[in-house]
Amino acid sequence: MEELKMTPWDVSGELNDSAYTKLVEKFGVDLINEKLIERIGKIAKGKIHPFLKRSIFFAHRELNLVLDDYEKGRPFYLYTGRGPSGKMHIGHLLPFSFTLWLQKTFDVHLLIQLTDDEKFMVKDISKTAIEKYTNENIIDILSLGFDPKKTHIIKDYESAKMMYYYATDVAKHVTFSTVKAVFGVTDSDNIGKVFFPSMQIVPAFLLSALTGQKMRCLIPYAIDQDPYFRVARDVLPKLGYYKPSAIISKFLPALQGSSAKMSSSKEESAIFLDDSREVVRKKLMKYAFSGGKDTAEEQRKYGANPDMDFSFLEYSFLEEDQKKVDQVYNDYKSGKILSGEMKEIAANKISSFLETLSDNREKVKDRIDDYILDPKKIKL
Ligand code: TYM
């Protein structure tokens, strides 16, 4: 079995439960327990997000301190991001849709960073292509429905003056040996990789720096991004800010199953946001890992295992009516629903979701500029 390797720039190896357990230990994050979910549930008036219920968001760093501040009426803000090196797939949306739920639940400001500079330095891709994906990805993200008054986008190249000013504060406190150890940078890597982490750390204190009000920052991400924020937690107190808090997810698995992540570089592993109804259906029918049995007869007799079934899991993320989800779960588990039908149900749900996003894209596509971070316009 290939050993798991994980840096923000390279994920390889098997992503099973034991791999996540090892990462939790190695990275030193805390698991989200029932008590913490209950606490969030109280604030969310009982509406607990399915990603929390299903332990997709499974780990955190000092989330309790953010909740303490919220309950005391002190402001905090959210920060997340995207490296625009290609089209987005539904896995990439996972942290964004959860962030949207957090923004609605807590009614807070949100910074979204697009690391166009990172992708230029790390991948073999032209600046022209990156610029195109940056704008496309922003539209995809905004089509989820973030609050226009409280959502601020940072494009690294475009915001370079402001970003660089603060990035040097970070860079001054991070040694080369830290970058080597945490990011796996080697002597033959380009020097952009050594400096870049400073840029991704800046938004973790930027709103405090720009407004002069010291606030906690909560960062949702999938666990591959943790190295940045481990370093940020060392550096920020030295600059007079709080250590950032984090809420951390597993990867949405590839269609083929949970041992690999959904990845844009493998077309058949992912459902892209612009996949048509027909393509979504075909991909699920052909590739989606099924928790069902080999024959219809066996499945009717013994039922399926919905917890490891790609189609059921994806359906359960998108269906807001918990009663419907429970019904499908029970029917699938008992053998009443067969694998093919489960795939149909999921394909319809995914396609309807993608169609809604596509309609929303039309509404936001000419309004990107309204969301670009303007320090003068921030109203806390
Ligand atoms: P990027 O573009 O690789 O990924 C964007 C976000 O999606 C998460 N992610 C996934 N989540 C679930 N399932 C998957 N299969 C999957 N693949 C990727 C990533 O963890 C990330 O949260 N350097 C970053 C951009 C960035 C950022 C941030 C991300 C800048 N600031 C702050 C998170 C928080 C990047 O290239 O992400």
Side-chain angles (χ1 to χ4, degrees):
M1 197 187 297
E2 198 191 340
E3 208 201 319
L4 183 73
K5 187 173 169 215
M6 185 170 301
T7 76
W9 303 317
D10 187 14
V11 180
S12 62
E14 194 141 348
L15 278 167
N16 49 25
D17 284 351
S18 88
Y20 281 114
T21 308
K22 276 192 204 144
L23 283 176
V24 164
E25 261 171 42
K26 190 171 158 205
F27 289 180
V29 295
D30 295 315
L31 290 175
I32 296 179
N33 57 23
E34 276 306 313
K35 222 169 133 196
L36 193 52
I37 295 183
E38 247 173 55
R39 190 171 176 201
I40 302 168
K42 256 190 207 149
I43 296 171
K45 303 198 173 69
K47 285 205 155 183
I48 299 167
H49 196 282
F51 293 167
L52 281 173
K53 267 192 217 154
R54 298 204 169 273
S55 296
I56 301 295
F57 274 83
F58 74 118
H60 74 104
R61 291 180 182 277
E62 290 187 334
L63 177 57
N64 42 328
L65 296 184
V66 171
L67 300 178
D68 288 349
D69 275 8
Y70 177 78
E71 283 171 354
K72 287 181 186 140
R74 296 190 197 124
F76 78 93
Y77 72 98
L78 296 163
Y79 156 44
T80 194
R82 158 80 182 145
S85 57
K87 289 197 296 185
M88 287 177 78
H89 58 59
I90 52 173
H92 292 129
L93 278 194
L94 207 129
F96 288 100
S97 47
F98 188 67
T99 302
L100 174 69
W101 180 77
L102 290 171
Q103 184 180 53
K104 283 191 171 151
T105 302
F106 294 96
D107 187 24
V108 285
H109 283 268
L110 161 67
L111 299 186
I112 301 176
Q113 179 183 34
L114 278 105
T115 51
D116 39 15
D117 53 344
E118 174 191 25
K119 292 298 153 171
F120 179 65
M121 292 188 287
V122 168
K123 296 219 162 191
D124 185 16
I125 182 169
S126 71
K127 283 188 177 160
T128 319
I130 289 181
E131 197 179 341
K132 181 182 129 220
Y133 288 129
T134 303
N135 293 323
E136 289 296 315
N137 290 179
I138 291 176
I139 300 172
D140 288 336
I141 293 165
L142 291 178
S143 68
L144 285 170
F146 291 100
D147 179 347
K149 291 200 189 73
K150 294 192 172 174
T151 302
H152 314 281
I153 288 176
I154 301 160
K155 296 196 221 177
D156 282 355
Y157 280 136
E158 225 174 86
S159 315
K161 187 175 169 207
M162 171 185 70
M163 291 296 290
Y164 186 70
Y165 182 80
Y166 293 111
T168 55
D169 291 327
V170 178
K172 203 167 174 174
H173 292 280
V174 183
T175 63
F176 184 32
S177 68
T178 296
V179 177
K180 278 198 211 171
V182 177
F183 294 88
V185 166
T186 64
D187 286 353
S188 54
D189 274 309
N190 72 54
I191 60 171
K193 282 186 171 180
V194 181
F195 177 76
F196 172 75
S198 323
M199 291 291 278
Q200 186 154 329
I201 291 172
V202 169
F205 62 94
L206 187 62
L207 214 58
S208 299
L210 293 176
T211 60
Q213 181 164 355
K214 192 170 153 181
M215 280 175 279
R216 288 194 188 277
C217 173
L218 172 63
I219 317 175
Y221 52 83
I223 195 154
D224 63 326
Q225 299 296 310
D226 193 66
Y228 291 109
F229 304 115
R230 232 152 53 225
V231 176
R233 286 172 57 80
D234 277 345
V235 174
L236 265 53
K238 295 179 187 153
L239 304 178
Y241 302 104
Y242 293 118
K243 289 182 180 197
S245 293
I247 184 154
I248 305 165
S249 78
K250 296 177 185 165
F251 287 111
L252 185 69
L255 277 156
Q256 290 78 358
S258 59
S259 60
K261 71 180 179 108
M262 188 171 274
S263 162
S264 349
S265 48
K266 292 192 198 98
E267 174 78 34
E268 74 286 356
S269 80
I271 291 174
F272 290 93
L273 304 190
D274 60 356
D275 281 350
S276 67
R277 209 164 252 275
E278 202 36 46
V279 170
V280 170
R281 193 176 168 278
K282 266 197 195 142
K283 280 187 179 171
L284 284 190
M285 289 300 166
K286 192 159 173 198
Y287 303 116
F289 187 80
S290 166
K293 300 285 181 296
D294 289 344
T295 65
E297 196 178 84
E298 276 182 53
Q299 171 131 359
R300 281 209 186 84
K301 202 161 159 196
Y302 303 112
N305 180 355
D307 294 303
M308 55 183 292
D309 186 283
F310 180 92
S311 307
F312 172 75
L313 289 178
E314 196 50 47
Y315 165 77
S316 74
F317 297 157
L318 296 174
E319 176 56 69
E320 283 177 12
D321 186 340
Q322 191 54 42
K323 277 195 198 116
K324 280 192 189 163
V325 176
D326 293 343
Q327 181 75 46
V328 171
Y329 183 90
N330 292 332
D331 288 352
Y332 195 32
K333 201 176 164 112
S334 70
K336 209 164 158 190
I337 292 179
L338 299 182
S339 300
E341 293 167 69
M342 187 64 246
K343 289 184 176 193
E344 290 287 358
I345 296 173
N348 281 332
K349 195 78 214 168
I350 294 170
S351 296
S352 306
F353 171 71
L354 294 184
E355 280 161 15
T356 308
L357 285 193
S358 160
D359 291 347
N360 291 348
R361 280 182 118 262
E362 291 307 304
K363 292 179 206 148
V364 290
K365 76 178 195 320
D366 299 320
R367 295 182 43 214
I368 296 186
D369 287 348
D370 299 349
Y371 290 84
I372 300 290
L373 173 64
D374 179 348
K376 288 187 259 26
K377 285 195 194 150
I378 300 170
K379 287 204 183 72
L380 288 182

